[in-house]
Amino acid sequence: MLLARKTLSRRAPRLRDPERTRQRLLQAASREVYRYGFQSAGLDAILAAANVTKGALYYHFESKEALGHAVIEEVVAKLQRDRWLVPLQQSKDKEPIDALIAVVQAIPARPKDVKGGCPLVNLTQEMSQLDEQFRKRLERIFHAWQEGIAAALRRGQHQGTVRRDLVPEETASLLIAMVEGYEVLAKNAQDVKVWNMGIRNIVGWLSSLRAPSKRRRG
Amino acid sequence: MLLARKTLSRRAPRLRDPERTRQRLLQAASREVYRYGFQSAGLDAILAAANVTKGALYYHFESKEALGHAVIEEVVAKLQRDRWLVPLQQSKDKEPIDALIAVVQAIPARPKDVKGGCPLVNLTQEMSQLDEQFRKRLERIFHAWQEGIAAALRRGQHQGTVRRDLVPEETASLLIAMVEGYEVLAKNAQDVKVWNMGIRNIVGWLSSLRAPSKRRRG
DNA sequence: CCAGCAACATACCGACCAGTATGTACTCTG
DNA sequence: CAGAGTACATACTGGTCGGTATGTTGCTGG
């Protein structure tokens, strides 16, 4: 009786579950924004997809902008962490170059994803110039991304498996540019083949970052 | 008297000059679309910038979409030709790699351009998934771009100045991806320094495409 | 010089859309 | 179990925007 019903069983279907409502809004909004862009995303479409009314939306979020900010911070940022940062940190047994190759190859190549492009790029293209609030939030994600890759490269340099002549941060930015650039090309072509070609070329380039194999530390 | 007044002197200021009106509309539209995206570009803002009324607009263009198509085909495509195709074709005296490096370094690095990003990417990100008419027009530009670079690389391979182990079309696509990718990064950062770093890294990579210098044909 | 079409100009319309005002029902606390 | 505040629901508004209907003027050929 003292504990919140939330932590107990679900016998009563809970007509009110604010956190769940918030999540439904975030998910619906991220899908709509992913597809049409932030400015062209309609609140009514989001509400219909989330099966939620306008009153609920404006209870949880101050404005459309606030909703967009939350999408970036909670949905887009999480996606990036799960696809890049976590795998890179968890594969300390592998050589960093191999880990990077694995991560690149693990980027979803389903038609849906290829045709939609990268959420980060979509939002950056649309909003970075127009809204400083959006820009800053996106920049944080880019920075964490670059730093994650750079850290892996530095580790490889210490190991002796990555060329010492390259600057980790700059090489990381180049990798990101390649990935994003190919996502743009694939999105324009609306064709998975273009993306697969991109992966091949990127992986080939990544291989060229290995230190010449004089001798490696086990 | 028989010749059109157009080809003669300008003593009468010509209140009606349909071709000039059309061009004013195209320029104003391309600026507005470049800044806000196609969907968010307002016709009224375009009309105000062009100092033209709605009646004139809809006399020259069937719809907003038609205006957008014209912007792509006449403004964006021309930009791409002038920056890439023409320079590459005109520098047959130089080695292709040097020509490519020169072209990359000649991409405008003014704050305005960096903050606005690449028109091609902007439009692709926004429209390729939503409108097949836009997509096809953009794809033609990308294809011509890639083909222009690939042709230069092939020429270098025949010369013996470009590595024979790389596939011209794929290498061209990788170069495009790098350029576009860095334009995205620089646009997000809203910082010219990021773009300059990109150029350095791209130029460094381009240098790695040279054939190992055994012996070159003059 | 005038008729007729080309090249505009102006006013207006209906749709859409973010945001709000206000009402209501669920749920937790005491 | 009552009352209060949380978590919604509904109806409406003001503004914007693409598009159109219709009027007007400059230009050109005859």
Side-chain angles (χ1 to χ4, degrees):
Chain A
M1 277 297 196
L2 288 175
L3 287 175
R5 186 74 49 89
K6 196 183 298 184
T7 61
L8 296 176
S9 66
R10 301 223 173 269
R11 59 192 57 166
R14 290 199 57 71
L15 297 182
R16 296 282 170 92
D17 189 341
E19 188 48 39
R20 186 159 177 276
T21 301
R22 213 187 101 96
Q23 290 304 320
R24 292 164 65 85
L25 281 168
L26 277 179
Q27 289 305 318
S30 75
R31 273 196 293 269
E32 189 78 4
V33 168
Y34 180 59
R35 171 144 194 125
Y36 298 104
F38 174 76
Q39 300 181 88
S40 298
L43 287 189
D44 291 342
I46 294 173
L47 294 173
N51 203 29
V52 156
T53 62
K54 204 162 266 192
L57 170 67
Y58 278 94
Y59 175 79
H60 287 281
F61 300 96
E62 261 197 5
S63 63
K64 193 188 178 188
E65 274 71 34
L67 177 61
H69 296 163
V71 166
I72 295 178
E73 290 181 330
E74 302 180 38
V75 182
V76 179
K78 178 172 174 12
L79 201 80
Q80 207 64 16
R81 280 199 302 274
D82 292 347
R83 279 192 192 165
W84 285 82
L85 303 186
V86 172
L88 284 182
Q89 283 179 350
Q90 283 183 346
S91 63
K92 300 248 172 176
D93 50 322
K94 281 194 250 183
E95 288 184 11
I97 297 290
D98 293 326
L100 285 170
I101 289 176
V103 168
V104 168
Q105 287 176 334
I107 300 174
R110 291 168 300 185
K112 189 189 74 172
D113 301 295
V114 170
K115 292 182 180 178
C118 173
L120 212 43
V121 179
N122 293 354
L123 281 166
T124 283
Q125 282 299 313
E126 183 187 3
M127 300 303 296
S128 276
Q129 191 189 5
L130 298 179
D131 188 310
E132 182 67 9
Q133 306 252 50
F134 272 81
R135 209 211 101 239
K136 272 193 215 148
R137 286 168 168 83
L138 293 166
E139 189 171 44
R140 265 178 238 137
I141 302 179
F142 273 113
H143 185 261
W145 190 4
Q146 180 177 351
E147 194 36 52
I149 297 172
L153 291 174
R154 274 193 295 270
R155 193 161 60 82
Q157 287 181 324
H158 286 136
Q159 279 184 353
T161 58
V162 170
R163 279 164 41 193
R164 285 240 162 70
D165 62 306
L166 46 84
V167 184
E169 287 79 12
E170 300 217 354
T171 307
S173 74
L174 185 52
L175 173 57
I176 293 175
M178 288 184 196
V179 171
E180 300 292 44
Y182 262 118
E183 293 220 47
V184 172
L185 291 183
K187 177 166 181 172
N188 176 259
Q190 292 279 297
D191 190 342
V192 174
K193 287 202 295 286
V194 174
W195 175 241
N196 288 327
M197 178 183 75
I199 291 183
R200 279 206 318 274
N201 284 320
I202 294 173
V203 167
W205 173 78
L206 277 171
S207 299
S208 77
L209 303 183
R210 295 185 204 274
S213 61
K214 301 182 175 182
R215 172 183 38 211
R216 292 182 192 167
R217 305 194 328 189
Chain B
M1 278 300 197
L2 286 175
L3 287 176
R5 184 77 48 89
K6 197 183 298 185
T7 61
L8 296 175
S9 67
R10 303 226 169 267
R11 57 192 57 165
R14 290 199 56 72
L15 296 183
R16 296 280 170 93
D17 188 340
E19 188 48 37
R20 186 159 177 276
T21 301
R22 212 187 103 96
Q23 290 303 320
R24 293 165 64 86
L25 281 168
L26 277 180
Q27 290 304 319
S30 75
R31 273 196 293 270
E32 189 78 5
V33 167
Y34 179 57
R35 171 145 193 119
Y36 298 104
F38 174 76
Q39 300 181 87
S40 299
L43 287 187
D44 291 341
I46 294 173
L47 295 173
N51 203 27
V52 156
T53 61
K54 204 162 269 192
L57 170 66
Y58 278 94
Y59 175 79
H60 287 282
F61 300 96
E62 261 198 4
S63 62
K64 192 189 178 189
E65 274 71 35
L67 178 60
H69 296 162
V71 166
I72 295 178
E73 290 181 330
E74 303 180 37
V75 182
V76 179
K78 177 171 173 16
L79 201 80
Q80 206 64 16
R81 280 198 302 272
D82 291 347
R83 280 194 192 163
W84 285 82
L85 302 186
V86 172
L88 284 181
Q89 283 179 350
Q90 283 182 347
S91 63
K92 300 248 173 179
D93 48 325
K94 280 193 251 182
E95 289 184 9
I97 296 289
D98 293 325
L100 284 170
I101 289 176
V103 168
V104 168
Q105 287 176 334
I107 300 175
R110 291 168 301 185
K112 189 190 74 171
D113 301 295
V114 170
K115 292 182 180 178
C118 172
L120 211 45
V121 179
N122 293 353
L123 282 166
T124 284
Q125 282 299 313
E126 183 187 3
M127 301 303 297
S128 277
Q129 190 189 5
L130 298 179
D131 188 310
E132 181 69 10
Q133 305 252 52
F134 273 79
R135 210 210 100 238
K136 272 194 216 147
R137 285 169 169 82
L138 294 166
E139 189 171 44
R140 263 178 239 139
I141 302 179
F142 273 113
H143 185 260
W145 189 5
Q146 179 176 351
E147 196 35 53
I149 296 173
L153 291 174
R154 274 194 293 270
R155 192 161 59 85
Q157 287 179 326
H158 286 137
Q159 279 184 351
T161 59
V162 169
R163 280 165 40 195
R164 285 243 162 71
D165 61 306
L166 45 83
V167 184
E169 288 80 10
E170 300 217 353
T171 306
S173 75
L174 185 52
L175 173 57
I176 293 174
M178 287 184 196
V179 171
E180 300 292 44
Y182 263 116
E183 294 221 47
V184 172
L185 292 184
K187 176 164 181 174
N188 177 259
Q190 292 278 297
D191 190 343
V192 173
K193 286 201 296 286
V194 174
W195 174 241
N196 288 327
M197 177 183 76
I199 292 183
R200 279 207 317 277
N201 284 320
I202 293 172
V203 167
W205 172 79
L206 276 171
S207 300
S208 77
L209 302 183
R210 294 185 204 276
S213 61
K214 300 182 177 183
R215 173 182 38 212
R216 292 181 190 165
R217 304 193 329 190

